[in-house]
Amino acid sequence: MSQQAVNGVSHRGKVLTLDSMNPNVKRVEYAVRGPIVQRAVQIEKELKEGVKKPFTEVIKANIGDAHAMGQKPITFLRQVLALCSYPELLEDNMFPEDAKKRARRILESCGGHSIGAYSASQGIECIRQDVARYIERRDGGIPSSPDNIYLSTGASDAIVTMLKLLVCGEGRSRTGVMISIPQYPLYSAALADLGAVQISYYLDEDKCWSLDVAELRRALNAARQHCNPRVLCIINPGNPTGQVQSRQCIEDVIRFAKEEHLFLMADEVYQDNVYAEGCKFHSFKKVLFEMGPEYSSTVEMASFHSTSKCYMGECGFRGGYMEVINMDPEVKAQLTKLVSVRLCPPVPGQALLDLVVNPPQPDEPSYTTFMKERTAVLAALAEKARLTEETFNTVPGITCNPVQGAMYTFPRITLPQKAIDKAKEEGQVPDMYYCMRLLEEEGICLVPGSGFGQREGTFHFRLVH
């Protein structure tokens, strides 16, 4: 490599290269926005430029981005956000009184009465109080303290922050984190970035993607040979698999976490998305406390929720929260320090979260419209879930489990040997090859199952319905 002397200092090419960058970052993969999506964006440009294709638009079913797929925002949420963004509108008569009242309350809690001001790092106090009250109502009166609530930039930010606190050690003492396979790739990406050890436990596709404690134990025992398992992550309702855990299953998981001395992370961002007959959302916190003090005073847990899913679909505002249970007070001080380095979550996202946890009440003018819109969105999602499952099961070579909740279908595909060989020839995983062909020939953008993890020899894709 040529050396040049500039001001007496010799330079050898770039400071930052693939060889000299953080190796953990190179190990990060995030299929939801991976190569197929990048190709989809290219195809959209080609279509705009007049390139002839067998289709006229790309259907993006790769990411749970409700508004991008045409879901209409909930009127009340946007009215209050408009008022917060432009307070002069508080003088306008077109806004209902309850929307104005919410906006005034939020603005009064902001520095300089503006959502453009920083907030406290943990989040605006009155919004954390509203979140705590929401959790109490949801869980039938089990107490929740605003001190245990951390507002966040969507649930993803809080999940990564929590993992950052938990990961330590070197070699065989390195922290192991148990994640479900199939999983949402945020988890595998964050673990790669933090240099933690991923411990995969498999959901049972033959039993509607259910979780079996015997499988948790198998994965844990195998992992103890090479790392220190300390964390168990659960996604309920499931992403990408759409299953809803039974109360019994949650109890079994909590018992397992206590016995094995594991920190529980409960990702519950789809808690309003439950459709199947006989299924019901049970929060991990509620079940934990109903199991009695032996569990509720010892099991350490963080649970997560977001404004991006459910009936809201407000992904772009990046609103979310985390509640921590039984966390060591000294560690909690460290967590508060860690979030303060990022200053604060976006204040418009915090304001939106406040409306989600404190929606219009029956005696308020916006209630009827709000309930009508909320019900319509959830009913449409339930209908799409039913339709997707039904349709896939009529297609030869595709089998699909009932979609009990969340916003995704994860059907299994049987690929002919010829296609598998062709994929290998092109250096691609077979389901990646299938999804790429589907995009090029039909304009449909899906994520291959390999991006989420799957049992050896099986192929899937995830579709957002």
Side-chain angles (χ1 to χ4, degrees):
M1 201 180 284
S2 67
Q3 292 190 19
Q4 295 164 302
V6 181
N7 297 335
V9 180
S10 65
H11 285 266
R12 298 181 182 86
K14 295 206 179 292
V15 173
L16 183 61
T17 66
L18 267 180
D19 291 334
S20 68
M21 70 176 282
N22 180 342
N24 288 343
V25 174
K26 285 192 279 189
R27 283 195 281 271
V28 169
E29 286 180 18
Y30 189 65
V32 173
R33 291 184 182 227
I36 286 191
V37 185
Q38 287 155 17
R39 178 64 189 131
V41 171
Q42 254 177 338
I43 290 174
E44 282 183 320
K45 278 187 187 152
E46 289 169 18
L47 286 169
K48 271 187 191 152
E49 286 159 7
V51 177
K52 287 278 168 279
K53 303 266 180 196
F55 47 87
T56 54
E57 63 168 341
V58 173
I59 296 168
K60 284 187 180 161
N62 63 295
I63 195 164
D65 190 353
H67 293 192
M69 298 299 286
Q71 183 180 308
K72 293 281 172 281
I74 301 288
T75 306
F76 180 75
L77 304 184
R78 287 302 181 88
Q79 283 176 331
V80 179
L81 286 166
L83 291 162
C84 287
S85 301
Y86 191 60
E88 281 80 353
L89 293 173
L90 287 162
E91 309 308 316
D92 196 312
N93 291 330
M94 71 175 278
F95 290 89
E97 206 42 57
D98 53 347
K100 289 181 178 181
K101 191 178 158 192
R102 298 300 164 87
R104 284 191 192 100
R105 180 169 175 262
I106 290 164
L107 288 168
E108 276 161 21
S109 63
C110 294
H113 292 194
S114 167
I115 58 167
Y118 287 131
S119 76
S121 300
Q122 207 170 328
I124 293 169
E125 174 76 23
C126 75
I127 298 178
R128 286 189 291 118
Q129 287 168 354
D130 286 350
V131 170
R133 278 193 286 267
Y134 161 82
I135 293 169
E136 282 181 9
R137 280 195 310 277
R138 182 197 69 188
D139 293 344
I142 292 160
S144 174
S145 162
D147 290 342
N148 291 334
I149 307 291
Y150 288 77
L151 305 190
S152 59
T153 309
S156 307
D157 178 49
I159 289 165
V160 172
T161 300
M162 203 62 239
L163 287 169
K164 205 176 271 186
L165 275 185
L166 283 154
V167 173
C168 68
E170 289 302 324
R172 284 189 64 164
S173 68
R174 194 70 177 148
T175 295
V177 179
M178 303 185 72
I179 64 172
S180 61
I181 298 294
Q183 52 106 23
Y184 175 52
L186 162 73
Y187 290 90
S188 53
L191 297 181
D193 186 18
L194 296 167
V197 180
Q198 176 180 318
I199 304 170
S200 302
Y201 64 88
Y202 288 88
L203 301 175
D204 188 344
E205 184 169 10
D206 296 334
K207 293 185 181 164
C208 207
W209 298 112
S210 65
L211 171 61
D212 180 8
V213 170
E215 168 59 13
L216 288 180
R217 192 154 275 124
R218 178 208 64 76
L220 183 82
N221 291 337
R224 284 213 163 115
Q225 311 306 310
H226 61 270
C227 69
N228 176 21
R230 301 174 68 209
V231 191
L232 171 56
C233 298
I234 306 282
I235 309 173
N236 179 50
N239 173 10
T241 43
Q243 86 288 4
V244 177
Q245 287 182 3
S246 67
R247 195 201 152 85
Q248 183 59 55
C249 174
I250 294 171
E251 279 189 25
D252 293 345
V253 168
I254 290 170
R255 273 192 205 97
F256 175 80
K258 180 179 162 54
E259 277 165 33
E260 302 295 348
H261 202 56
L262 297 170
F263 189 104
L264 255 181
M265 288 176 60
D267 178 340
E268 299 176 328
V269 303
Y270 297 98
Q271 54 190 259
D272 288 329
N273 300 110
V274 176
Y275 321 117
E277 200 68 39
C279 285
K280 185 175 186 292
F281 170 73
H282 301 278
S283 80
F284 264 77
K285 184 188 177 187
K286 182 174 195 279
V287 176
L288 177 70
F289 276 77
E290 286 174 352
M291 286 170 76
E294 183 196 342
Y295 295 94
S296 63
S297 63
T298 60
V299 175
E300 295 156 74
M301 186 174 91
S303 60
F304 308 89
H305 195 17
S306 162
T307 59
S308 301
K309 309 303 174 187
C310 302
Y311 62 90
M312 303 81 73
E314 293 281 11
C315 305
F317 279 98
R318 311 308 299 129
Y321 75 75
M322 151 171 83
E323 182 182 28
V324 295
I325 314 278
N326 294 323
M327 182 176 267
D328 181 302
E330 289 178 334
V331 174
K332 212 164 123 189
Q334 295 292 321
L335 169 60
T336 306
K337 176 185 77 178
L338 190 57
V339 298
S340 71
V341 175
R342 310 264 273 280
L343 297 172
C344 68
V347 174
Q350 295 186 47
L352 179 69
L353 178 67
D354 190 53
L355 308 171
V356 171
V357 297
N358 184 16
Q361 297 306 300
D363 58 346
E364 292 183 310
S366 300
Y367 180 77
T368 310
T369 306
F370 173 80
M371 286 309 288
K372 193 172 142 196
E373 291 177 346
R374 180 186 188 279
T375 307
V377 168
L378 291 174
L381 284 167
E383 175 58 16
K384 284 176 196 164
R386 187 192 62 76
L387 205 60
T388 309
E389 175 204 332
E390 227 171 67
T391 308
F392 277 140
N393 283 326
T394 63
V395 179
I398 297 184
T399 52
C400 182
N401 269 319
V403 183
Q404 298 172 331
M407 295 158 70
Y408 311 102
T409 319
F410 199 66
R412 185 163 169 174
I413 45 175
T414 307
L415 295 175
Q417 193 56 46
K418 263 181 157 176
I420 295 171
D421 295 342
K422 185 86 174 98
K424 281 189 181 139
E425 206 179 289
E426 296 192 11
Q428 284 187 346
V429 184
D431 51 15
M432 169 66 116
Y433 175 74
Y434 173 88
C435 288
M436 201 56 103
R437 287 287 297 270
L438 193 69
L439 174 64
E440 296 286 357
E441 292 171 28
E442 303 293 340
I444 298 167
C445 180
L446 303 171
V447 191
S450 48
F452 302 92
Q454 55 199 346
R455 279 197 186 276
E456 192 66 39
T458 68
F459 305 112
H460 301 79
F461 60 78
R462 187 187 79 165
L463 172 103
V464 180
H465 49 71

